[in-house]
């Protein structure tokens, strides 16, 4: 590919000072020579999913979200866990793509960066795999204790985590550029 890889990045936390948003910004800096990262900022504007509204002309915010996903070569999701699950705004947005299938065959990297995050990570992997996201075991990463591993600018200060994030970046790049083998859902989901 002669151009940069277009990545749409979604933070499951809509907080202004979110560590997940900062992590995305940090990854954008780490990958600035290979990725063109566009941060999707409309997550909280997406209406509540309702199959009755999932028609040929969906709500404009939904159409915009789908268009951003469609235009990207890859999707990066960084999210915390809320109350042992996936943040509602993120799950809501993904639910709108089940019928329109923007995730299908699209290379996806998932980072759950939270206090612990295990349940949200497993749950989200199940969702991403059932909607046919293209993932490998190396394009998913759970980062517990995120707040002690990143600074306010999104620089990853924990060297082990930095290594794992770099590995994920490489794996996502490989998935976009090569026809890498993908994994089966039961391998990752509890
Ligand atoms: C309402 C609420 C519920 C939370 N529940 C969990 C949880 O179940 N598991 C967990 O690991 N962290 C939980 N946390 C902590 C967040 O994951 C943690 O603060 C994280 O850093 C937030 O991500 P952000 O900085 O990107 O907003 C919760 C935080 C909030 C506000």
């Amino acid at each position: 590919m002669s151009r940069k890889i277009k990545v749409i990045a979604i933070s499951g936390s809509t907080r202004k000072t979110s560590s997940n948003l900062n992590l995305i910004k940090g990854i954008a800096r780490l990958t600035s020579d290979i990725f063109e990262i566009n941060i999707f900022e409309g997550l909280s504007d997406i209406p509540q999913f309702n199959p009755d509204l999932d028609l040929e002309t969906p709500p404009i915010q939904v159409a915009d979200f789908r268009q951003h996903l469609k235009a990207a070569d890859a999707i990066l999701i960084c999210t915390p866990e809320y109350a042992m699950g996936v943040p509602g705004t993120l799950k809501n947005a993904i639910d709108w793509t089940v019928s329109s299938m923007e995730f299908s065959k699209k290379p996806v990297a998932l980072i759950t960066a939270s206090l612990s995050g295990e349940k949200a990570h497993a749950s989200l992997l199940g969702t991403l795999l059932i909607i046919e996201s293209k993932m490998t075991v190396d394009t998913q990463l759970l980062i517990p204790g995120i707040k002690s591993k990143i600074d306010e600018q999104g620089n990853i200060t924990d060297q082990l985590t930095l290594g794992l994030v770099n590995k994920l970046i490489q794996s996502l790049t490989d998935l976009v550029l090569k026809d890498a083998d993908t994994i089966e859902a039961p391998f990752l989901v509890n």
Side-chain angles (χ1 to χ4, degrees):
M1 197 181 277
S2 55
R3 58 166 175 83
K4 289 185 187 178
I5 295 169
K6 286 184 189 166
V7 178
I8 180 80
I10 304 165
S11 170
S13 167
T14 51
R15 267 185 346 112
K16 271 200 185 107
T17 56
S18 158
S19 36
N20 280 278
L21 179 61
N22 288 339
L23 180 58
I24 288 172
K25 290 176 181 169
I27 291 175
R29 280 193 300 276
L30 284 173
T31 58
S32 59
D33 54 338
I34 45 164
F35 288 173
E36 179 189 317
I37 294 193
N38 180 9
I39 301 176
F40 183 71
E41 288 174 347
L43 209 64
S44 1
D45 300 326
I46 295 178
Q48 288 295 309
F49 177 64
N50 179 346
D52 289 345
L53 302 177
D54 194 4
L55 307 168
E56 205 172 318
T57 308
I60 189 160
Q61 302 91 336
V62 173
D64 177 60
F65 179 53
R66 289 175 174 171
Q67 191 47 44
H68 275 87
L69 296 173
K70 230 178 256 172
D73 300 309
I75 301 166
L76 168 66
I77 297 174
C78 294
T79 185
E81 175 175 270
Y82 285 162
M84 308 289 267
V86 179
T89 41
L90 176 60
K91 180 63 166 58
N92 180 58
I94 293 174
D95 286 347
W96 279 107
T97 71
V98 173
S99 62
S100 49
M101 298 181 72
E102 285 78 15
F103 277 82
S104 183
K105 312 280 182 281
K106 187 80 79 176
V108 174
L110 168 66
I111 300 179
T112 305
S114 201
L115 199 57
S116 97
E118 275 172 44
K119 298 275 185 210
H121 194 65
S123 171
L124 207 37
L125 281 173
T127 299
L128 291 172
L129 293 168
I130 204 69
I131 58 176
E132 302 180 348
S133 303
K134 195 172 178 183
M135 298 183 74
T136 72
V137 73
D138 294 324
T139 64
Q140 55 86 34
L141 177 62
L142 174 64
I143 309 179
I146 181 64
K147 284 187 175 162
S148 64
K149 295 174 178 169
I150 194 170
D151 69 17
E152 285 170 9
Q153 284 73 47
N155 300 307
I156 300 163
T157 50
D158 178 69
Q159 291 311 301
L160 180 63
T161 303
L162 180 60
L164 292 170
V165 168
N166 275 324
K167 189 173 166 198
L168 175 135
I169 291 166
Q170 185 57 56
S171 302
L172 184 62
T173 307
D174 290 347
L175 208 49
V176 173
L177 298 180
K178 299 174 200 160
D179 203 12
D181 289 335
T182 52
I183 42 154
E184 297 297 321
F187 181 79
L188 287 171
V189 182
N190 289 328

